[in-house]
Amino acid sequence: MTGIINSDNTHHLAIPALPGFLQNDLDQCARLPSLPTVAIRVLEVAGYPDATLNDYANAIEQDPALTLRLISLANSAFYARQQTETHSCWEATSRLGLDATLAAVLSFSLWRDRQSEDLIQRIWGRSIVSALAARSFAEQLCPEEASFVFTAALLQDIGMLALLAAYPKDAHDLYANTTFSHAQLSRGEHLRFGSDHSSIGSWLAAKWGAPVSLAQAISTSHDEIGTQKEMYLLCLRLSGPIADTWLSPNPSQALATLLRQLSPVVTTPAISLSDLLKNVQSQLPLLTNLFELTVPFSHDTESLIIQAQQLLFQQTLALNARLNAQQQELDDLQKRQTELEERSRRDPLTGLANRAWLEEQLHKRFEYCQTYGHTMSVVFIDLDHFKKLNDRFGHQTGDRILERFGRVLGSLVREGDLAGRYGGEEFLIILPDESAKGAQRFAKRIAKRLAETPMETVDGKPLFVSVSIGIACLSDGGFGNGRELIDAADQSMYYIKRNGRGGISLYGH
């Protein structure tokens, strides 16, 4: 036999180091919990995957006083039940069972402090419920490691006893707060002592000479569920939250919360929660009697599970409703954000892109063309005699002309093109991957549409508008940036304006 819980599975977790001041204080503490040699030997036996009652009995018989206590316990009214008296350690161990035997050895050995009786009751009460829950889990998931898991769960909170011995006032003040969860207690320990009780318990077990595998298991007993690969660690880490649920003033609510928290992280074969809780319920009086503890709560396990499931269902419905409402809020917020961004890019009168968006997109397109060797063209448009139209017919008429011209322009551009109002009566169109000749054909379509479509009706008569158009293509000049491309198209447009308006000019042609 070996001290490793699996013949093919070794533990690679190191026992955590404690802060120097803390280890020094614990080393010098005369009241630190301790175990006799025989108890250490029993813990070693508990680490054997194939340990038998005879192995336990042989280890315990090395201590005559402990043997007599076990025989006396086995013959007590709680265990005898009209059976004949036991006279040997093996008979006593057989009657008590492995779990009760191990718990009895520890209950006879570990430190007790009558001044902190209520805290001791709570600490050992949680440990006993954890041990029973851990063993129930292990019997379903990794039965060959059930005894080891029981032992580790039973000792997972011994670090709290060490802190009560070394720092009685500080530890008592912390542990006396019954509103704290176990996780909050661990955080409080880190703040006060620089470490938590799982690490201190691991150090203490190693100091006793307990098997390294047991000390390592204690050190990781409070780690997050879902990060472990070994089933025995899953059983151990689940046991504490189950105990907290059992000991909660509102166990059904606590169980519902626990089930919801575990559902996304725990992936195991099916575990009968009902059988587990019944097992805890049936064995709890036996173990609490060994430790001379008050039985920590008694529950109707069937009702507890039903209530928890009902609460979980209600919480799930409420959570889904909140999530749906939050999602709707996010969708509305995203929609408003999109609308705001869209409005920030649009000219409010024409609905086309505004100057800032035109220039930003032209800059990006220019960089893209330079990088990948593409071309593009820009078309610069100015409405002819627009100032005279404003002066003659008024600004409202001028605005309607701009608005309708914007609609015409928008109907002519292709997907991927970008048309916008550059300023006043000036418009700019970016034509990706378009040559100068292609841009010219596009400009002719604009001119043709304007010749056929009046932009306004004044006194019952149609009002037609002509435009001056300048075109610049990236392939036709050594342009250093998008701004230079716009300037070239602008110059071409002014060439038309100076020569009679109503025409198209290509830069460089």
PDB file of all heavy atoms in Angstrom, residues 129-141 235 238-239 241-243 246 255 258 271-284 301-302 304-305:
ATOM      1  N   VAL A 129     -20.642  17.797   8.540  1.00  0.00           N
ATOM      2  CA  VAL A 129     -21.565  17.785   7.404  1.00  0.00           C
ATOM      3  C   VAL A 129     -20.778  17.716   6.098  1.00  0.00           C
ATOM      4  O   VAL A 129     -21.147  16.991   5.164  1.00  0.00           O
ATOM      5  CB  VAL A 129     -22.486  19.017   7.430  1.00  0.00           C
ATOM      6  CG1 VAL A 129     -23.391  19.031   6.194  1.00  0.00           C
ATOM      7  CG2 VAL A 129     -23.335  19.029   8.690  1.00  0.00           C
ATOM      8  N   SER A 130     -19.679  18.466   6.016  1.00  0.00           N
ATOM      9  CA  SER A 130     -18.836  18.428   4.809  1.00  0.00           C
ATOM     10  C   SER A 130     -18.298  17.021   4.560  1.00  0.00           C
ATOM     11  O   SER A 130     -18.293  16.531   3.420  1.00  0.00           O
ATOM     12  CB  SER A 130     -17.663  19.403   4.951  1.00  0.00           C
ATOM     13  OG  SER A 130     -18.099  20.734   5.036  1.00  0.00           O
ATOM     14  N   ALA A 131     -17.830  16.382   5.638  1.00  0.00           N
ATOM     15  CA  ALA A 131     -17.249  15.047   5.492  1.00  0.00           C
ATOM     16  C   ALA A 131     -18.295  14.049   4.996  1.00  0.00           C
ATOM     17  O   ALA A 131     -18.023  13.228   4.108  1.00  0.00           O
ATOM     18  CB  ALA A 131     -16.666  14.588   6.829  1.00  0.00           C
ATOM     19  N   LEU A 132     -19.502  14.116   5.549  1.00  0.00           N
ATOM     20  CA  LEU A 132     -20.557  13.201   5.110  1.00  0.00           C
ATOM     21  C   LEU A 132     -20.952  13.469   3.664  1.00  0.00           C
ATOM     22  O   LEU A 132     -21.169  12.534   2.871  1.00  0.00           O
ATOM     23  CB  LEU A 132     -21.769  13.342   6.034  1.00  0.00           C
ATOM     24  CG  LEU A 132     -21.578  12.835   7.469  1.00  0.00           C
ATOM     25  CD1 LEU A 132     -22.794  13.176   8.320  1.00  0.00           C
ATOM     26  CD2 LEU A 132     -21.320  11.334   7.478  1.00  0.00           C
ATOM     27  N   ALA A 133     -21.066  14.743   3.302  1.00  0.00           N
ATOM     28  CA  ALA A 133     -21.418  15.091   1.920  1.00  0.00           C
ATOM     29  C   ALA A 133     -20.314  14.664   0.960  1.00  0.00           C
ATOM     30  O   ALA A 133     -20.579  14.111  -0.119  1.00  0.00           O
ATOM     31  CB  ALA A 133     -21.666  16.592   1.809  1.00  0.00           C
ATOM     32  N   ALA A 134     -19.058  14.901   1.349  1.00  0.00           N
ATOM     33  CA  ALA A 134     -17.932  14.543   0.479  1.00  0.00           C
ATOM     34  C   ALA A 134     -17.901  13.036   0.238  1.00  0.00           C
ATOM     35  O   ALA A 134     -17.671  12.573  -0.882  1.00  0.00           O
ATOM     36  CB  ALA A 134     -16.617  15.008   1.108  1.00  0.00           C
ATOM     37  N   ARG A 135     -18.139  12.274   1.319  1.00  0.00           N
ATOM     38  CA  ARG A 135     -18.124  10.810   1.148  1.00  0.00           C
ATOM     39  C   ARG A 135     -19.276  10.362   0.254  1.00  0.00           C
ATOM     40  O   ARG A 135     -19.105   9.474  -0.601  1.00  0.00           O
ATOM     41  CB  ARG A 135     -18.211  10.115   2.499  1.00  0.00           C
ATOM     42  CG  ARG A 135     -18.114   8.615   2.368  1.00  0.00           C
ATOM     43  CD  ARG A 135     -18.021   7.902   3.694  1.00  0.00           C
ATOM     44  NE  ARG A 135     -17.869   6.473   3.476  1.00  0.00           N
ATOM     45  CZ  ARG A 135     -16.712   5.856   3.259  1.00  0.00           C
ATOM     46  NH1 ARG A 135     -15.595   6.573   3.225  1.00  0.00           N
ATOM     47  NH2 ARG A 135     -16.661   4.554   3.065  1.00  0.00           N
ATOM     48  N   SER A 136     -20.445  10.970   0.391  1.00  0.00           N
ATOM     49  CA  SER A 136     -21.586  10.598  -0.460  1.00  0.00           C
ATOM     50  C   SER A 136     -21.289  10.895  -1.923  1.00  0.00           C
ATOM     51  O   SER A 136     -21.611  10.097  -2.810  1.00  0.00           O
ATOM     52  CB  SER A 136     -22.839  11.354  -0.007  1.00  0.00           C
ATOM     53  OG  SER A 136     -23.234  10.930   1.281  1.00  0.00           O
ATOM     54  N   PHE A 137     -20.691  12.061  -2.185  1.00  0.00           N
ATOM     55  CA  PHE A 137     -20.287  12.382  -3.558  1.00  0.00           C
ATOM     56  C   PHE A 137     -19.293  11.337  -4.072  1.00  0.00           C
ATOM     57  O   PHE A 137     -19.420  10.811  -5.184  1.00  0.00           O
ATOM     58  CB  PHE A 137     -19.630  13.761  -3.619  1.00  0.00           C
ATOM     59  CG  PHE A 137     -20.589  14.901  -3.668  1.00  0.00           C
ATOM     60  CD1 PHE A 137     -20.494  15.951  -2.767  1.00  0.00           C
ATOM     61  CD2 PHE A 137     -21.592  14.955  -4.624  1.00  0.00           C
ATOM     62  CE1 PHE A 137     -21.373  17.005  -2.808  1.00  0.00           C
ATOM     63  CE2 PHE A 137     -22.480  16.018  -4.677  1.00  0.00           C
ATOM     64  CZ  PHE A 137     -22.370  17.046  -3.761  1.00  0.00           C
ATOM     65  N   ALA A 138     -18.277  11.044  -3.245  1.00  0.00           N
ATOM     66  CA  ALA A 138     -17.212  10.141  -3.676  1.00  0.00           C
ATOM     67  C   ALA A 138     -17.730   8.726  -3.921  1.00  0.00           C
ATOM     68  O   ALA A 138     -17.257   8.039  -4.830  1.00  0.00           O
ATOM     69  CB  ALA A 138     -16.098  10.118  -2.634  1.00  0.00           C
ATOM     70  N   GLU A 139     -18.682   8.279  -3.125  1.00  0.00           N
ATOM     71  CA  GLU A 139     -19.220   6.935  -3.323  1.00  0.00           C
ATOM     72  C   GLU A 139     -19.887   6.792  -4.688  1.00  0.00           C
ATOM     73  O   GLU A 139     -19.958   5.696  -5.244  1.00  0.00           O
ATOM     74  CB  GLU A 139     -20.209   6.602  -2.210  1.00  0.00           C
ATOM     75  CG  GLU A 139     -19.520   6.291  -0.883  1.00  0.00           C
ATOM     76  CD  GLU A 139     -20.502   6.111   0.257  1.00  0.00           C
ATOM     77  OE1 GLU A 139     -21.672   6.555   0.090  1.00  0.00           O
ATOM     78  OE2 GLU A 139     -20.113   5.560   1.294  1.00  0.00           O
ATOM     79  N   GLN A 140     -20.354   7.919  -5.247  1.00  0.00           N
ATOM     80  CA  GLN A 140     -20.988   7.879  -6.566  1.00  0.00           C
ATOM     81  C   GLN A 140     -20.006   8.167  -7.701  1.00  0.00           C
ATOM     82  O   GLN A 140     -20.197   7.684  -8.819  1.00  0.00           O
ATOM     83  CB  GLN A 140     -22.131   8.906  -6.621  1.00  0.00           C
ATOM     84  CG  GLN A 140     -23.241   8.633  -5.613  1.00  0.00           C
ATOM     85  CD  GLN A 140     -24.350   9.663  -5.687  1.00  0.00           C
ATOM     86  OE1 GLN A 140     -25.048   9.779  -6.687  1.00  0.00           O
ATOM     87  NE2 GLN A 140     -24.512  10.422  -4.612  1.00  0.00           N
ATOM     88  N   LEU A 141     -18.968   8.965  -7.424  1.00  0.00           N
ATOM     89  CA  LEU A 141     -18.078   9.409  -8.499  1.00  0.00           C
ATOM     90  C   LEU A 141     -16.707   8.740  -8.485  1.00  0.00           C
ATOM     91  O   LEU A 141     -16.121   8.509  -9.549  1.00  0.00           O
ATOM     92  CB  LEU A 141     -17.899  10.935  -8.415  1.00  0.00           C
ATOM     93  CG  LEU A 141     -19.176  11.778  -8.529  1.00  0.00           C
ATOM     94  CD1 LEU A 141     -18.839  13.262  -8.425  1.00  0.00           C
ATOM     95  CD2 LEU A 141     -19.897  11.487  -9.828  1.00  0.00           C
ATOM     96  N   CYS A 235     -15.372  16.344  -5.387  1.00  0.00           N
ATOM     97  CA  CYS A 235     -16.156  15.929  -4.215  1.00  0.00           C
ATOM     98  C   CYS A 235     -15.792  16.775  -2.993  1.00  0.00           C
ATOM     99  O   CYS A 235     -16.673  17.199  -2.227  1.00  0.00           O
ATOM    100  CB  CYS A 235     -15.912  14.454  -3.917  1.00  0.00           C
ATOM    101  SG  CYS A 235     -16.401  13.346  -5.256  1.00  0.00           S
ATOM    102  N   LEU A 238     -17.042  20.451  -3.392  1.00  0.00           N
ATOM    103  CA  LEU A 238     -18.494  20.560  -3.311  1.00  0.00           C
ATOM    104  C   LEU A 238     -18.993  20.412  -1.882  1.00  0.00           C
ATOM    105  O   LEU A 238     -20.057  20.932  -1.536  1.00  0.00           O
ATOM    106  CB  LEU A 238     -19.140  19.467  -4.172  1.00  0.00           C
ATOM    107  CG  LEU A 238     -19.227  19.714  -5.678  1.00  0.00           C
ATOM    108  CD1 LEU A 238     -19.679  18.446  -6.386  1.00  0.00           C
ATOM    109  CD2 LEU A 238     -20.179  20.852  -5.985  1.00  0.00           C
ATOM    110  N   SER A 239     -18.222  19.711  -1.052  1.00  0.00           N
ATOM    111  CA  SER A 239     -18.711  19.381   0.279  1.00  0.00           C
ATOM    112  C   SER A 239     -18.920  20.610   1.155  1.00  0.00           C
ATOM    113  O   SER A 239     -19.897  20.686   1.912  1.00  0.00           O
ATOM    114  CB  SER A 239     -17.739  18.410   0.959  1.00  0.00           C
ATOM    115  OG  SER A 239     -16.488  19.033   1.234  1.00  0.00           O
ATOM    116  N   PRO A 241     -19.664  23.906   0.301  1.00  0.00           N
ATOM    117  CA  PRO A 241     -20.908  24.609  -0.017  1.00  0.00           C
ATOM    118  C   PRO A 241     -22.162  23.829   0.385  1.00  0.00           C
ATOM    119  O   PRO A 241     -23.167  24.428   0.788  1.00  0.00           O
ATOM    120  CB  PRO A 241     -20.827  24.780  -1.542  1.00  0.00           C
ATOM    121  CG  PRO A 241     -19.363  24.817  -1.837  1.00  0.00           C
ATOM    122  CD  PRO A 241     -18.751  23.866  -0.853  1.00  0.00           C
ATOM    123  N   ILE A 242     -22.136  22.488   0.275  1.00  0.00           N
ATOM    124  CA  ILE A 242     -23.284  21.702   0.718  1.00  0.00           C
ATOM    125  C   ILE A 242     -23.474  21.877   2.226  1.00  0.00           C
ATOM    126  O   ILE A 242     -24.601  22.037   2.721  1.00  0.00           O
ATOM    127  CB  ILE A 242     -23.084  20.209   0.379  1.00  0.00           C
ATOM    128  CG1 ILE A 242     -23.183  19.994  -1.135  1.00  0.00           C
ATOM    129  CG2 ILE A 242     -24.098  19.350   1.112  1.00  0.00           C
ATOM    130  CD1 ILE A 242     -24.570  20.182  -1.705  1.00  0.00           C
ATOM    131  N   ALA A 243     -22.377  21.857   2.987  1.00  0.00           N
ATOM    132  CA  ALA A 243     -22.468  22.049   4.442  1.00  0.00           C
ATOM    133  C   ALA A 243     -23.006  23.433   4.775  1.00  0.00           C
ATOM    134  O   ALA A 243     -23.845  23.597   5.673  1.00  0.00           O
ATOM    135  CB  ALA A 243     -21.097  21.849   5.082  1.00  0.00           C
ATOM    136  N   TRP A 246     -26.656  23.325   4.288  1.00  0.00           N
ATOM    137  CA  TRP A 246     -27.329  22.576   5.350  1.00  0.00           C
ATOM    138  C   TRP A 246     -27.462  23.414   6.619  1.00  0.00           C
ATOM    139  O   TRP A 246     -28.486  23.370   7.313  1.00  0.00           O
ATOM    140  CB  TRP A 246     -26.534  21.306   5.642  1.00  0.00           C
ATOM    141  CG  TRP A 246     -27.203  20.379   6.622  1.00  0.00           C
ATOM    142  CD1 TRP A 246     -27.159  20.448   7.981  1.00  0.00           C
ATOM    143  CD2 TRP A 246     -28.019  19.251   6.305  1.00  0.00           C
ATOM    144  NE1 TRP A 246     -27.897  19.439   8.528  1.00  0.00           N
ATOM    145  CE2 TRP A 246     -28.441  18.677   7.525  1.00  0.00           C
ATOM    146  CE3 TRP A 246     -28.425  18.662   5.105  1.00  0.00           C
ATOM    147  CZ2 TRP A 246     -29.242  17.548   7.589  1.00  0.00           C
ATOM    148  CZ3 TRP A 246     -29.228  17.540   5.170  1.00  0.00           C
ATOM    149  CH2 TRP A 246     -29.637  16.991   6.393  1.00  0.00           C
ATOM    150  N   LEU A 255     -29.906  26.351  -0.949  1.00  0.00           N
ATOM    151  CA  LEU A 255     -29.726  25.246  -1.887  1.00  0.00           C
ATOM    152  C   LEU A 255     -30.074  25.676  -3.304  1.00  0.00           C
ATOM    153  O   LEU A 255     -29.375  25.307  -4.263  1.00  0.00           O
ATOM    154  CB  LEU A 255     -30.592  24.056  -1.467  1.00  0.00           C
ATOM    155  CG  LEU A 255     -30.477  22.794  -2.328  1.00  0.00           C
ATOM    156  CD1 LEU A 255     -29.035  22.302  -2.380  1.00  0.00           C
ATOM    157  CD2 LEU A 255     -31.397  21.700  -1.809  1.00  0.00           C
ATOM    158  N   LEU A 258     -27.213  27.691  -4.548  1.00  0.00           N
ATOM    159  CA  LEU A 258     -26.067  26.831  -4.839  1.00  0.00           C
ATOM    160  C   LEU A 258     -26.259  26.081  -6.155  1.00  0.00           C
ATOM    161  O   LEU A 258     -25.338  25.999  -6.975  1.00  0.00           O
ATOM    162  CB  LEU A 258     -25.864  25.839  -3.695  1.00  0.00           C
ATOM    163  CG  LEU A 258     -24.734  24.817  -3.878  1.00  0.00           C
ATOM    164  CD1 LEU A 258     -23.386  25.515  -3.993  1.00  0.00           C
ATOM    165  CD2 LEU A 258     -24.724  23.817  -2.727  1.00  0.00           C
ATOM    166  N   ILE A 271     -25.746  12.850 -10.070  1.00  0.00           N
ATOM    167  CA  ILE A 271     -25.607  12.655  -8.634  1.00  0.00           C
ATOM    168  C   ILE A 271     -26.982  12.806  -8.015  1.00  0.00           C
ATOM    169  O   ILE A 271     -27.680  13.793  -8.282  1.00  0.00           O
ATOM    170  CB  ILE A 271     -24.638  13.684  -8.017  1.00  0.00           C
ATOM    171  CG1 ILE A 271     -23.229  13.482  -8.579  1.00  0.00           C
ATOM    172  CG2 ILE A 271     -24.613  13.570  -6.508  1.00  0.00           C
ATOM    173  CD1 ILE A 271     -22.235  14.524  -8.121  1.00  0.00           C
ATOM    174  N   SER A 272     -27.375  11.843  -7.187  1.00  0.00           N
ATOM    175  CA  SER A 272     -28.669  11.929  -6.526  1.00  0.00           C
ATOM    176  C   SER A 272     -28.537  12.838  -5.324  1.00  0.00           C
ATOM    177  O   SER A 272     -28.003  12.439  -4.276  1.00  0.00           O
ATOM    178  CB  SER A 272     -29.149  10.535  -6.106  1.00  0.00           C
ATOM    179  OG  SER A 272     -30.309  10.658  -5.313  1.00  0.00           O
ATOM    180  N   LEU A 273     -29.018  14.058  -5.456  1.00  0.00           N
ATOM    181  CA  LEU A 273     -28.942  15.003  -4.349  1.00  0.00           C
ATOM    182  C   LEU A 273     -29.830  14.548  -3.197  1.00  0.00           C
ATOM    183  O   LEU A 273     -29.486  14.732  -2.024  1.00  0.00           O
ATOM    184  CB  LEU A 273     -29.366  16.392  -4.835  1.00  0.00           C
ATOM    185  CG  LEU A 273     -29.212  17.547  -3.845  1.00  0.00           C
ATOM    186  CD1 LEU A 273     -27.759  17.691  -3.431  1.00  0.00           C
ATOM    187  CD2 LEU A 273     -29.704  18.847  -4.469  1.00  0.00           C
ATOM    188  N   SER A 274     -30.958  13.935  -3.527  1.00  0.00           N
ATOM    189  CA  SER A 274     -31.855  13.446  -2.486  1.00  0.00           C
ATOM    190  C   SER A 274     -31.176  12.381  -1.638  1.00  0.00           C
ATOM    191  O   SER A 274     -31.228  12.422  -0.398  1.00  0.00           O
ATOM    192  CB  SER A 274     -33.125  12.880  -3.128  1.00  0.00           C
ATOM    193  OG  SER A 274     -33.976  12.319  -2.143  1.00  0.00           O
ATOM    194  N   ASP A 275     -30.500  11.419  -2.304  1.00  0.00           N
ATOM    195  CA  ASP A 275     -29.798  10.373  -1.553  1.00  0.00           C
ATOM    196  C   ASP A 275     -28.676  10.966  -0.713  1.00  0.00           C
ATOM    197  O   ASP A 275     -28.429  10.523   0.424  1.00  0.00           O
ATOM    198  CB  ASP A 275     -29.216   9.330  -2.514  1.00  0.00           C
ATOM    199  CG  ASP A 275     -30.302   8.488  -3.171  1.00  0.00           C
ATOM    200  OD1 ASP A 275     -31.452   8.530  -2.685  1.00  0.00           O
ATOM    201  OD2 ASP A 275     -30.006   7.823  -4.178  1.00  0.00           O
ATOM    202  N   LEU A 276     -27.985  11.961  -1.257  1.00  0.00           N
ATOM    203  CA  LEU A 276     -26.886  12.581  -0.525  1.00  0.00           C
ATOM    204  C   LEU A 276     -27.394  13.231   0.758  1.00  0.00           C
ATOM    205  O   LEU A 276     -26.831  13.042   1.847  1.00  0.00           O
ATOM    206  CB  LEU A 276     -26.190  13.615  -1.411  1.00  0.00           C
ATOM    207  CG  LEU A 276     -24.975  14.322  -0.812  1.00  0.00           C
ATOM    208  CD1 LEU A 276     -23.952  14.614  -1.905  1.00  0.00           C
ATOM    209  CD2 LEU A 276     -25.361  15.657  -0.157  1.00  0.00           C
ATOM    210  N   LEU A 277     -28.462  14.020   0.649  1.00  0.00           N
ATOM    211  CA  LEU A 277     -28.987  14.714   1.830  1.00  0.00           C
ATOM    212  C   LEU A 277     -29.558  13.731   2.848  1.00  0.00           C
ATOM    213  O   LEU A 277     -29.425  13.939   4.059  1.00  0.00           O
ATOM    214  CB  LEU A 277     -30.051  15.723   1.398  1.00  0.00           C
ATOM    215  CG  LEU A 277     -29.549  16.876   0.523  1.00  0.00           C
ATOM    216  CD1 LEU A 277     -30.698  17.808   0.158  1.00  0.00           C
ATOM    217  CD2 LEU A 277     -28.451  17.660   1.218  1.00  0.00           C
ATOM    218  N   LYS A 278     -30.190  12.649   2.365  1.00  0.00           N
ATOM    219  CA  LYS A 278     -30.691  11.627   3.285  1.00  0.00           C
ATOM    220  C   LYS A 278     -29.538  10.960   4.027  1.00  0.00           C
ATOM    221  O   LYS A 278     -29.648  10.640   5.219  1.00  0.00           O
ATOM    222  CB  LYS A 278     -31.488  10.581   2.510  1.00  0.00           C
ATOM    223  CG  LYS A 278     -32.852  11.052   2.048  1.00  0.00           C
ATOM    224  CD  LYS A 278     -33.556   9.953   1.258  1.00  0.00           C
ATOM    225  CE  LYS A 278     -34.923  10.424   0.764  1.00  0.00           C
ATOM    226  NZ  LYS A 278     -35.602   9.378  -0.046  1.00  0.00           N
ATOM    227  N   ASN A 279     -28.436  10.740   3.327  1.00  0.00           N
ATOM    228  CA  ASN A 279     -27.269  10.137   3.942  1.00  0.00           C
ATOM    229  C   ASN A 279     -26.700  11.037   5.036  1.00  0.00           C
ATOM    230  O   ASN A 279     -26.339  10.574   6.123  1.00  0.00           O
ATOM    231  CB  ASN A 279     -26.208   9.855   2.877  1.00  0.00           C
ATOM    232  CG  ASN A 279     -25.015   9.103   3.437  1.00  0.00           C
ATOM    233  OD1 ASN A 279     -25.168   8.166   4.205  1.00  0.00           O
ATOM    234  ND2 ASN A 279     -23.823   9.514   3.044  1.00  0.00           N
ATOM    235  N   VAL A 280     -26.611  12.337   4.727  1.00  0.00           N
ATOM    236  CA  VAL A 280     -26.151  13.291   5.743  1.00  0.00           C
ATOM    237  C   VAL A 280     -27.086  13.267   6.945  1.00  0.00           C
ATOM    238  O   VAL A 280     -26.646  13.223   8.100  1.00  0.00           O
ATOM    239  CB  VAL A 280     -26.070  14.711   5.147  1.00  0.00           C
ATOM    240  CG1 VAL A 280     -25.796  15.740   6.242  1.00  0.00           C
ATOM    241  CG2 VAL A 280     -24.986  14.783   4.078  1.00  0.00           C
ATOM    242  N   GLN A 281     -28.377  13.276   6.686  1.00  0.00           N
ATOM    243  CA  GLN A 281     -29.365  13.301   7.759  1.00  0.00           C
ATOM    244  C   GLN A 281     -29.262  12.083   8.662  1.00  0.00           C
ATOM    245  O   GLN A 281     -29.316  12.191   9.894  1.00  0.00           O
ATOM    246  CB  GLN A 281     -30.771  13.367   7.137  1.00  0.00           C
ATOM    247  CG  GLN A 281     -31.904  13.424   8.141  1.00  0.00           C
ATOM    248  CD  GLN A 281     -32.130  14.827   8.652  1.00  0.00           C
ATOM    249  OE1 GLN A 281     -31.295  15.380   9.358  1.00  0.00           O
ATOM    250  NE2 GLN A 281     -33.255  15.416   8.282  1.00  0.00           N
ATOM    251  N   SER A 282     -29.064  10.909   8.059  1.00  0.00           N
ATOM    252  CA  SER A 282     -29.055   9.682   8.855  1.00  0.00           C
ATOM    253  C   SER A 282     -27.770   9.515   9.665  1.00  0.00           C
ATOM    254  O   SER A 282     -27.798   8.965  10.771  1.00  0.00           O
ATOM    255  CB  SER A 282     -29.250   8.472   7.935  1.00  0.00           C
ATOM    256  OG  SER A 282     -28.163   8.347   7.031  1.00  0.00           O
ATOM    257  N   GLN A 283     -26.638   9.976   9.138  1.00  0.00           N
ATOM    258  CA  GLN A 283     -25.352   9.744   9.810  1.00  0.00           C
ATOM    259  C   GLN A 283     -24.920  10.896  10.703  1.00  0.00           C
ATOM    260  O   GLN A 283     -23.986  10.757  11.488  1.00  0.00           O
ATOM    261  CB  GLN A 283     -24.263   9.479   8.764  1.00  0.00           C
ATOM    262  CG  GLN A 283     -24.508   8.226   7.945  1.00  0.00           C
ATOM    263  CD  GLN A 283     -23.313   7.875   7.082  1.00  0.00           C
ATOM    264  OE1 GLN A 283     -22.178   7.955   7.515  1.00  0.00           O
ATOM    265  NE2 GLN A 283     -23.592   7.479   5.852  1.00  0.00           N
ATOM    266  N   LEU A 284     -25.581  12.022  10.585  1.00  0.00           N
ATOM    267  CA  LEU A 284     -25.171  13.199  11.347  1.00  0.00           C
ATOM    268  C   LEU A 284     -25.249  12.977  12.853  1.00  0.00           C
ATOM    269  O   LEU A 284     -24.309  13.347  13.584  1.00  0.00           O
ATOM    270  CB  LEU A 284     -26.020  14.397  10.922  1.00  0.00           C
ATOM    271  CG  LEU A 284     -25.520  15.781  11.313  1.00  0.00           C
ATOM    272  CD1 LEU A 284     -24.086  16.001  10.857  1.00  0.00           C
ATOM    273  CD2 LEU A 284     -26.422  16.861  10.712  1.00  0.00           C
ATOM    274  N   THR A 301     -35.509  16.256   4.055  1.00  0.00           N
ATOM    275  CA  THR A 301     -34.712  16.416   2.837  1.00  0.00           C
ATOM    276  C   THR A 301     -35.572  16.466   1.578  1.00  0.00           C
ATOM    277  O   THR A 301     -35.253  17.197   0.641  1.00  0.00           O
ATOM    278  CB  THR A 301     -33.698  15.259   2.720  1.00  0.00           C
ATOM    279  OG1 THR A 301     -34.389  14.010   2.767  1.00  0.00           O
ATOM    280  CG2 THR A 301     -32.706  15.318   3.872  1.00  0.00           C
ATOM    281  N   GLU A 302     -36.661  15.687   1.541  1.00  0.00           N
ATOM    282  CA  GLU A 302     -37.524  15.719   0.362  1.00  0.00           C
ATOM    283  C   GLU A 302     -38.133  17.099   0.182  1.00  0.00           C
ATOM    284  O   GLU A 302     -38.129  17.668  -0.912  1.00  0.00           O
ATOM    285  CB  GLU A 302     -38.622  14.655   0.477  1.00  0.00           C
ATOM    286  CG  GLU A 302     -38.122  13.223   0.432  1.00  0.00           C
ATOM    287  CD  GLU A 302     -37.583  12.841  -0.937  1.00  0.00           C
ATOM    288  OE1 GLU A 302     -37.866  13.560  -1.908  1.00  0.00           O
ATOM    289  OE2 GLU A 302     -36.873  11.809  -1.025  1.00  0.00           O
ATOM    290  N   LEU A 304     -37.011  19.854   1.433  1.00  0.00           N
ATOM    291  CA  LEU A 304     -35.932  20.802   1.167  1.00  0.00           C
ATOM    292  C   LEU A 304     -35.622  20.867  -0.321  1.00  0.00           C
ATOM    293  O   LEU A 304     -35.496  21.951  -0.902  1.00  0.00           O
ATOM    294  CB  LEU A 304     -34.685  20.389   1.953  1.00  0.00           C
ATOM    295  CG  LEU A 304     -33.420  21.226   1.738  1.00  0.00           C
ATOM    296  CD1 LEU A 304     -33.660  22.672   2.115  1.00  0.00           C
ATOM    297  CD2 LEU A 304     -32.259  20.654   2.552  1.00  0.00           C
ATOM    298  N   ILE A 305     -35.515  19.705  -0.962  1.00  0.00           N
ATOM    299  CA  ILE A 305     -35.194  19.680  -2.388  1.00  0.00           C
ATOM    300  C   ILE A 305     -36.339  20.262  -3.212  1.00  0.00           C
ATOM    301  O   ILE A 305     -36.124  21.040  -4.147  1.00  0.00           O
ATOM    302  CB  ILE A 305     -34.873  18.238  -2.826  1.00  0.00           C
ATOM    303  CG1 ILE A 305     -33.563  17.781  -2.185  1.00  0.00           C
ATOM    304  CG2 ILE A 305     -34.780  18.145  -4.347  1.00  0.00           C
ATOM    305  CD1 ILE A 305     -33.215  16.354  -2.471  1.00  0.00           C
TER     306      ILE A 305
END
